[in-house]
Amino acid sequence: MGRIFYIMGKSSSGKDTIYKKMLERHPELRTVVPYTTRPARENEKCGAEYFFTDEEQLKRMQKAGKVIEVRSYNTECGIWTYFTADDGQIDLSDYDYLMIGTLESFQALKEYFGEERLVPVYIEVEDGLRLERALERERRQKIPQYAEMCRRFLADAEDFSEENIHSASIVKRFNNRELDTCLREIEEYMDL
C-alpha cells in the first residue's frame, strides 16, 4: 500500500529545501506537481514546482471532476489559486509519494485518499529565523514582493494555529534549525 509523505509548515521553514533533499536521498519516492494561477518565480519551471495555469483550465478540470482540493489567496499581487488534481500522477497501489503543501491541502488529501495513506511531516522553525530566511529569499528575487512576504508570514499564524495542527492529527514535529539533523529525524520517522 502506497503512502503520501506530506511536508508542510509555515513559510520559510525550509520545506522546499527538505523536499528537494529528501528526493535526492530517496529517488524511489515519486512526486506530485500541484497547479497554480500565480506567476512563476525566477528559476521556477512549469511542471517542476507547479503547473502554471489559469482560471479557465481550473474551471475545466473542476467540471471534469479532476480537482481534489483548491484554495485561493487574496495576495498583495492579486488572487492566486492553488490546487491538486487527480490527473493520473498518483498511483497508491504501487508507489510512495513525497508532496509539499499547506495544512488545508493536507486535510483535503487525507479525506480524498484516506487517513492511512497520508503521513504528515510538519516542519518548524523559530519565527525570528523564519523571518530572516524569508527576507533573504525575497531580496534575491528580480522584483521583490515584500508586502506579499509579510502577508504570508502573518497569515501563517492563523493557518498553522495549534488548534488547526491538533485537528489535523499532527503529533510529530521536526525542528529545522540544523538541516542534516532534521533530515535524519524525518527519515527515521518515515522509516526510509
Side-chain angles (χ1 to χ4, degrees):
M1 174 176 85
R3 297 169 295 170
I4 298 173
F5 298 104
Y6 203 87
I7 297 174
M8 65 195 121
K10 295 177 180 175
S11 60
S12 299
S13 60
K15 299 180 303 289
D16 291 324
T17 299
I18 288 170
Y19 176 79
K20 289 172 186 170
K21 293 284 186 187
M22 289 298 290
L23 288 175
E24 286 173 13
R25 292 162 75 137
H26 300 280
E28 72 277 10
L29 293 172
R30 295 206 168 185
T31 62
V32 177
V33 180
Y35 293 75
T36 185
T37 63
R38 79 156 167 78
R41 292 181 183 141
E42 288 180 53
N43 301 321
E44 286 184 327
K45 294 182 176 103
C46 190
E49 295 84 4
Y50 292 98
F51 288 116
F52 295 97
T53 188
D54 57 24
E55 290 291 330
E56 290 305 313
Q57 183 178 4
L58 169 58
K59 288 176 187 172
R60 285 191 301 274
M61 292 177 85
Q62 283 175 314
K63 188 175 180 180
K66 300 271 186 195
V67 176
I68 297 172
E69 61 87 24
V70 61
R71 62 220 123 71
S72 296
Y73 303 98
N74 188 7
T75 74
E76 294 293 322
C77 306
I79 295 176
W80 291 348
T81 300
Y82 297 80
F83 62 99
T84 307
D86 190 350
D87 58 359
Q89 294 184 71
I90 302 172
D91 176 8
L92 291 172
S93 62
D94 290 319
Y95 304 103
D96 287 332
Y97 292 82
L98 188 65
M99 290 182 71
I100 186 171
T102 66
L103 192 57
E104 183 182 351
S105 58
F106 168 75
Q107 291 280 63
L109 286 165
K110 190 166 68 167
E111 287 177 26
Y112 189 84
F113 290 109
E115 189 167 356
E116 70 281 358
R117 301 280 189 151
L118 270 286
V119 179
V121 180
Y122 183 69
I123 311 300
E124 288 187 317
V125 171
E126 183 272 325
D127 281 347
L129 179 56
R130 229 172 28 86
L131 187 56
E132 285 177 29
R133 290 177 178 178
L135 187 56
E136 182 181 315
R137 179 176 71 186
E138 205 57 42
R139 282 184 177 137
R140 290 191 307 262
Q141 299 299 310
K142 188 174 185 176
I143 302 172
Q145 302 288 335
Y146 296 113
E148 175 55 19
M149 178 201 78
C150 291
R151 185 207 62 81
R152 278 193 321 265
F153 190 87
L154 294 172
D156 282 341
E158 185 177 326
D159 295 345
F160 289 97
S161 69
E162 289 301 317
E163 181 181 329
N164 289 345
I165 291 169
H166 178 73
S167 70
S169 301
I170 295 172
V171 294
K172 179 71 175 156
R173 300 173 188 214
F174 301 92
N175 189 305
N176 187 22
R177 186 176 318 128
E178 203 285 309
L179 181 60
D180 287 332
T181 301
C182 185
L183 288 168
R184 279 193 306 276
E185 290 174 358
I186 292 169
E187 287 170 327
E188 288 173 15
Y189 169 74
M190 292 169 57
D191 197 24
L192 297 174

